[in-house]
Amino acid sequence: MKHLLSIDDLDREQVETLLARADSFAEVTRRDIKKVPALRGQTVVTLFYESSTRTSSSFELAAKRLSADVVSVKASGSAVDKGESLKDTVETIYAYDPAAIVIRHPYAGAAKMLTRWVDASVVNAGDGMHQHPSQALLDVFTLQNRMGSLEGKKIWIVGDVLHSRVARSNIAAFQLMGASVSVCGPPTLIPRGIESTGCDEAFAGRSREQADVVYLLRMQNERMGENFVPSIREYARLFQVNERRLGPRQLVMHPGPVNRGVEIGSDVIDSDRSLISEQVASGLAVRMAILYDLLNSGDDAAEQPADGPVPIGEPA
Ligand code: CP
């Protein structure tokens, strides 16, 4: 695997291999010395054209924990503000000879476009409404850690599915790992033809208790040119998930950032049924595994043990 652009490019075995690697990196993150030399001498550039807290910080930290040199560029405050094109910006950072470029961009297909311009590995950290594959992988990892397996589990994705790259990636990833997925939200925020992805549309009136996991999405206001719901208050009244709307065994996930009191109640965020903090923690280990796998997919990979790099201080 040279690039990570879409969950659709992965099969189940590849996901399982990558998440087994993430498991060994999660163990590394619990040590006193949390760094391994796997990417020493290599450079990773993160290039974010949209705001981010979780994805940008965890990719940056993941690369540092693997001992790579890291250059982080945010479009805001960079030469993009002076009118530099994506291609010119990419050519500029490519002069540093990066092994990987992690990009978030508002346009679907931007990450794929980079693969035609550079020889580096490209990681899609979110392209418009299209894909956010590392989010889907960390969500599968989080659920596997909690539930063991996704096989036969029922997952409801609730909220603004229409504008959500997380929904598109996660529907594919959850199904790939054996879960059945339903989407639920105001009709204006459910994409037409969603059934073609293999999931069904669950209606708000139907009991959410059927779900093992309720995966909440925020309203993607930055992608809305018009009003899709009568009001946020009305939306919250009908679709907000709070303790009153959950059965005792149900788990709740959210990719963040959350809008407390809109799609999710504070009582749920702060309860032990919420996996939100675990999702963030998983992001680091999974993104270490992604960078490691992409940058060791050549001849050197054969020299690496299957369960990940040998930690500093242990015999190789
Ligand atoms: N889930 C997610 O992509 O969060 P950020 O926008 O903070 O990166």
Side-chain angles (χ1 to χ4, degrees):
M1 183 169 78
K2 174 152 183 176
H3 309 293
L4 178 63
L5 302 178
S6 167
I7 287 293
D8 299 330
D9 298 335
L10 302 176
D11 60 29
R12 185 164 173 163
E13 194 182 333
Q14 284 173 303
V15 172
E16 281 168 352
T17 302
L18 195 136
L19 297 188
R21 182 96 66 201
D23 226 6
S24 69
F25 283 127
E27 195 272 317
V28 170
T29 66
R30 290 190 286 272
R31 294 184 189 161
D32 291 341
I33 296 171
K34 303 178 191 309
K35 217 160 171 165
V36 291
L39 301 186
R40 194 163 48 200
Q42 305 204 57
T43 301
V44 173
V45 174
T46 67
L47 181 56
F48 277 70
Y49 280 77
E50 282 186 336
S51 58
S52 168
T53 298
R54 283 147 280 268
T55 314
S56 57
S57 61
S58 60
F59 266 119
E60 184 174 333
L61 188 56
K64 287 177 175 167
R65 292 273 171 91
L66 294 168
S67 304
D69 296 318
V70 183
V71 179
S72 300
V73 179
K74 301 220 187 258
S76 173
S78 75
V80 174
D81 289 341
K82 301 175 187 167
E84 189 169 63
S85 69
L86 175 61
K87 189 154 197 271
D88 286 336
T89 300
V90 168
E91 279 178 6
T92 300
I93 59 171
Y94 195 53
Y96 304 137
D97 191 24
I101 300 176
V102 179
I103 181 167
R104 171 172 287 188
H105 199 278
Y107 292 106
K112 185 164 189 175
M113 206 152 62
L114 254 65
T115 65
R116 296 201 288 268
W117 298 340
V118 298
D119 195 29
S121 289
V122 176
V123 180
N124 182 4
D127 60 334
M129 300 192 298
H130 178 224
Q131 278 279 318
H132 193 351
S134 64
Q135 178 71 48
L137 291 168
L138 76 86
D139 287 332
V140 170
F141 184 74
T142 305
L143 276 179
Q144 283 186 346
N145 282 345
R146 182 60 80 101
M147 305 178 120
S149 164
L150 273 64
E151 199 65 56
K153 296 291 189 294
K154 292 185 171 59
I155 303 177
W156 277 39
I157 298 180
V158 180
D160 178 6
V161 179
L162 180 66
H163 300 100
S164 175
R165 55 193 173 211
V166 173
R168 286 174 182 80
S169 301
N170 284 30
I171 288 169
F174 290 155
Q175 291 183 144
L176 189 65
M177 305 313 285
S180 69
V181 182
S182 303
V183 295
C184 177
T188 49
L189 292 174
I190 301 295
R192 265 189 224 141
I194 190 75
E195 300 79 12
S196 66
T197 64
C199 63
D200 65 6
E201 184 177 352
F203 295 97
R206 214 171 92 185
S207 173
R208 222 175 256 142
E209 282 167 23
Q210 296 166 17
D212 298 294
V213 179
V214 180
Y215 194 105
L216 296 172
L217 300 170
R218 75 180 168 88
M219 302 285 266
Q220 312 264 303
N221 292 313
E222 69 275 28
R223 301 190 206 288
M224 295 184 190
E226 55 190 288
N227 289 336
F228 283 79
V229 292
S231 71
I232 290 297
R233 193 184 162 131
E234 179 73 359
Y235 175 80
R237 193 175 68 79
L238 293 175
F239 290 96
Q240 182 191 111
V241 169
N242 49 43
E243 284 292 344
R244 280 178 293 126
R245 287 215 163 106
L246 289 167
R249 61 177 181 85
Q250 288 181 306
L251 298 172
V252 174
M253 301 180 83
H254 193 305
V258 301
N259 290 141
R260 278 179 191 258
V262 181
E263 73 275 8
I264 186 167
S266 283
D267 52 354
V268 171
I269 297 173
D270 302 326
S271 74
D272 57 9
R273 67 167 76 246
S274 163
L275 298 183
I276 297 171
S277 298
E278 285 165 60
Q279 289 173 266
V280 176
S282 297
L284 177 58
V286 169
R287 286 168 175 139
M288 286 174 80
I290 290 168
L291 292 174
Y292 179 86
D293 273 16
L294 293 181
L295 301 186
N296 284 282
S297 59
D299 293 343
D300 291 346
E303 295 169 18
Q304 300 288 349
D307 60 350
V310 180
I312 296 172
E314 288 184 12

